[in-house]
Amino acid sequence: MEKNVFTTEQEERAALKRRRRNRVFNTILYLISASLILFGIFIILRDQTDLFNRSSAEKPNVTFPPADYAATSTATDAANENTEDTSEQPTKPPPAPEATPEPAIEPVSIFFEGHEIAVAVQPVGLNSKGEMETIPKHDVAGWYKYGAAPNQEGNCIIAGHNRYSGQKGLFAVLHKGLHKGDRVCVTMKDGKSIFYVVDEIANYKYDSMPESVMAVGGERRLTLITCLGDFDYDRQMSLTRVVAVCKPIN
């Protein structure tokens, strides 16, 4: 009889130890599962939102001029040109001296007003395929150094990633929120800023973009480029380009 009682007590203690081990094991499993869920939520938020990567550059402390400044100035200039001048004019004005091209001052950041996104900018050239290089970072854009600088006549081209290495790129703003009439500010290496207003936004297939997108000459403008759509692993690129053309307003 005593032996049976002793055996029963041993079995109860063993069962109690098993239950404790199971509780500890289950608690560890719950903690691991909760951590994985939280990590998954973090990855989704990082990938789909600007919560963790709003800016990679310091936001400029500037005051934007009104967006219609350029249009107003142009209209005023045209009106002045059409006004008849009755004052005495020389018969043949002396020829104007040729303008010396302004030395390029490279951009270091671009700020999207209203979206509170400031993106660091670095100069890039051409890759082995003869195409504009890209910066291998989700939060840094590349300025095409063989085009115009912001302080020069011609096309200032800046391209950034929509997505890179599993992270949402800061240039995703081009197709997620940027609209015609929005204003951007490009800060140059000398600390000065050039202001622009978005004039048009369009999507193109990568192999059917208008030549004007990458043309470096012509009137002063800012061309912003990012990719869109599924990644084509055969071509190692996305097949759509989002292009925003901006006009200077200062």
Side-chain angles (χ1 to χ4, degrees):
M1 185 71 179
E2 291 179 358
K3 183 178 180 180
N4 292 337
V5 172
F6 180 73
T7 302
T8 302
E9 290 178 351
Q10 278 186 324
E11 291 175 348
E12 289 180 353
R13 284 197 294 269
L16 180 60
K17 288 181 180 180
R18 286 196 298 271
R19 287 195 294 270
R20 287 175 177 171
R21 284 199 299 268
N22 289 339
R23 282 197 296 268
V24 171
F25 181 73
N26 289 336
T27 300
I28 293 173
L29 284 180
Y30 292 146
L31 290 174
I32 292 174
S33 299
S35 299
L36 290 174
I37 291 172
L38 290 174
F39 183 71
I41 293 173
F42 168 79
I43 293 297
I44 292 172
L45 289 174
R46 187 192 68 172
D47 185 41
Q48 299 297 327
T49 72
D50 296 318
L51 188 59
F52 302 102
N53 57 351
R54 290 290 293 180
S55 292
S56 60
E58 184 178 351
K59 297 175 184 178
N61 183 21
V62 295
T63 300
F64 277 80
D68 60 350
Y69 176 85
T72 303
S73 299
T74 302
T76 304
D77 293 342
N80 291 336
E81 289 177 2
N82 293 330
T83 302
E84 183 179 358
D85 188 355
T86 57
S87 61
E88 184 178 350
Q89 296 290 333
T91 57
K92 189 177 181 180
E98 285 189 20
T100 303
E102 194 171 354
I105 304 175
E106 69 180 66
V108 295
S109 69
I110 179 170
F111 175 65
F112 296 88
E113 185 201 28
H115 305 277
E116 299 306 307
I117 297 175
V119 186
V121 176
Q122 297 176 1
V124 297
L126 296 171
N127 60 22
S128 58
K129 298 179 182 178
E131 301 167 341
M132 178 180 172
E133 289 181 321
T134 58
I135 301 292
K137 294 182 180 180
H138 74 282
D139 57 354
V140 179
W143 163 63
Y144 186 52
K145 63 184 179 181
Y146 300 127
N151 65 308
Q152 295 178 314
E153 293 297 319
N155 190 11
C156 177
I157 305 170
I158 299 178
H161 291 290
N162 172 52
R163 287 170 58 89
Y164 186 82
S165 190
Q167 289 185 268
K168 180 181 177 183
L170 295 186
F171 259 46
V173 68
L174 265 63
H175 70 92
K176 288 189 175 182
L178 194 70
H179 297 96
K180 182 176 180 178
D182 286 356
R183 299 182 295 183
V184 298
C185 171
V186 176
T187 300
M188 298 182 294
K189 201 168 186 177
D190 64 354
K192 296 180 180 178
S193 297
I194 305 290
F195 301 96
Y196 299 86
V197 59
V198 178
D199 186 57
E200 60 177 299
I201 303 176
N203 293 358
Y204 303 103
K205 292 298 182 183
Y206 83 99
D207 56 356
S208 61
M209 288 197 303
E211 292 183 1
S212 60
V213 173
M214 296 301 298
V216 297
E219 64 182 358
R220 182 175 295 196
R221 63 200 184 279
L222 170 68
T223 299
L224 307 176
I225 307 172
T226 194
C227 296
L228 183 63
D230 295 331
F231 190 80
D232 188 312
Y233 287 93
D234 292 333
R235 296 184 176 91
Q236 288 295 300
M237 65 172 66
S238 296
L239 301 184
T240 303
R241 301 289 182 268
V242 183
V243 179
V245 180
C246 312
K247 292 184 176 181
I249 53 177
N250 62 337

